[in-house]
Amino acid sequence: MYSIIVVPPPTAEDARGGGQVRLAPGERLTFGRSAAGNDLRIAHDGVSRRAGEITAQGAFWILSNLSARHTYVVENPEGAGEHIKVGPGRLDAPVPFEFSRIVLPAAGDLLSIQVWAPRHDYRRPDAAGPDGDTTAPAFSMDRTKRYFAVLAALCEPRLRGEPHAPLPTVDQVVDRLRPTWPGASRTSVQWNIDYLAVKLRLKPGPDTADTGPRLNGKKESLVSLALRFDLVREDDLVVLAGAAERRTAR
């Protein structure tokens, strides 16, 4: 049976958090400051007495914001800053993320409730396949190439669960790649960033491109595109591990 897993924010009594709550389809979890009428009490003066409600809906869940003034933000920690906003009084807002973080503004603090929707339904492809030519891939990526290792290094901080983590500098990317690419340098890493920008159609080719590196915006665009369309997943970070690290991981 599908279940939604809710991890409450830490309390003063338990710095690690209040355990887990599992919701079967159709089950609800109300949360707020008041001990009466809430399944989950969040003892913080900045949280509404009746703050919200989480409802399991099969393979996804919905969030109702029962506060009168506060907007809640539901973040996708795996999605390069991807988020949705649920305004005051908004009922039954569907949340599509498999792993989510509800952020509650609370009198200067930001409290988070983590929610997992661990099982999603997917269509099984037909073994025979339809007639006609195969569909061209949206993005052509070769995971054995150095440009992919550069892209993985850029995406790594946000794939590790920090959706707003600053992107690594070129020098940090060079240091990260040295175990598997001893010849990595600022010039070679920047060349691969430029190559990725053209390959993924983020900028014109070299004949028509503007001069100047503009690396910050370019890196941000590359990471945002890669994470939004799953061009790089957490499993792909293995390309950054040296031989010794891979043996240890086994």
Side-chain angles (χ1 to χ4, degrees), residues 18 35 57 64 66 77 108 203 244:
Q57 295 286 338
S64 293
L66 304 181
K203 60 172 289 184

Side-chain angles (χ1 to χ4, degrees), residues 15-60:
R16 295 171 300 174
Q20 297 182 358
V21 180
R22 291 179 179 267
L23 303 178
E27 292 184 337
R28 299 171 182 266
L29 175 76
T30 57
F31 59 90
R33 186 176 80 247
S34 176
N38 287 312
D39 303 308
L40 170 62
R41 185 188 181 209
I42 303 176
H44 192 294
D45 291 342
V47 175
S48 300
R49 285 166 291 181
R50 293 189 68 234
E53 183 177 79
I54 296 169
T55 306
Q57 295 286 338
F60 71 101

Side-chain angles (χ1 to χ4, degrees), residues 1-7 20-25 27 54-62 98 114-120:
M1 177 178 290
Y2 294 119
S3 64
I4 305 300
I5 302 174
V6 181
V7 180
Q20 297 182 358
V21 180
R22 291 179 179 267
L23 303 178
E27 292 184 337
I54 296 169
T55 306
Q57 295 286 338
F60 71 101
W61 56 283
I62 58 178
E98 294 187 26
Q114 297 180 12
V115 183
W116 276 269
R119 294 184 59 183
H120 280 201

Side-chain angles (χ1 to χ4, degrees), residues 147-171:
Y147 69 76
F148 186 80
V150 170
L151 185 58
L154 290 173
C155 294
E156 183 178 26
R158 297 184 183 179
L159 283 172
R160 298 294 189 191
E162 296 295 332
H164 304 297
L167 297 183
T169 65
V170 172
D171 287 332

Side-chain angles (χ1 to χ4, degrees), residues 47-240:
V47 175
S48 300
R49 285 166 291 181
R50 293 189 68 234
E53 183 177 79
I54 296 169
T55 306
Q57 295 286 338
F60 71 101
W61 56 283
I62 58 178
L63 173 65
S64 293
N65 182 349
L66 304 181
S67 73
R69 294 184 295 274
H70 296 151
T71 293
Y72 299 158
V73 176
V74 184
E75 298 177 338
N76 175 10
E78 303 171 317
E82 185 179 17
H83 68 278
I84 61 174
K85 296 192 293 185
V86 183
R90 171 73 158 92
L91 300 177
D92 298 337
V95 178
F97 312 137
E98 294 187 26
F99 172 39
S100 307
R101 182 187 295 126
I102 307 173
V103 181
L104 310 177
D109 294 326
L110 294 176
L111 307 180
S112 64
I113 301 174
Q114 297 180 12
V115 183
W116 276 269
R119 294 184 59 183
H120 280 201
D121 289 327
Y122 293 94
R123 172 183 172 272
R124 289 188 176 182
D126 185 354
D131 295 333
D133 296 334
T134 58
T135 304
F139 304 99
S140 177
M141 302 292 288
D142 186 341
R143 284 164 168 74
T144 67
K145 300 296 185 181
R146 284 175 176 166
Y147 69 76
F148 186 80
V150 170
L151 185 58
L154 290 173
C155 294
E156 183 178 26
R158 297 184 183 179
L159 283 172
R160 298 294 189 191
E162 296 295 332
H164 304 297
L167 297 183
T169 65
V170 172
D171 287 332
Q172 289 172 331
V173 172
V174 171
D175 291 341
R176 187 69 179 94
L177 295 176
R178 280 272 166 78
T180 55
W181 181 9
S185 65
R186 284 183 54 87
T187 300
S188 59
V189 167
Q190 289 180 4
W191 185 92
N192 278 277
I193 290 173
D194 288 336
Y195 175 77
L196 282 163
V198 175
K199 181 178 181 63
L200 298 179
R201 301 180 182 179
L202 296 182
K203 60 172 289 184
D207 293 338
T208 56
D210 295 334
T211 59
R214 301 181 63 183
L215 286 176
N216 289 340
K218 193 182 302 180
K219 290 192 298 183
E220 186 68 46
S221 297
L222 285 171
V223 170
S224 178
L225 179 71
L227 296 184
R228 279 188 292 135
F229 290 97
D230 287 336
L231 304 187
V232 181
R233 301 173 182 264
E234 189 171 359
D235 292 346
D236 292 320
L237 297 182
V238 69
V239 302
L240 303 177

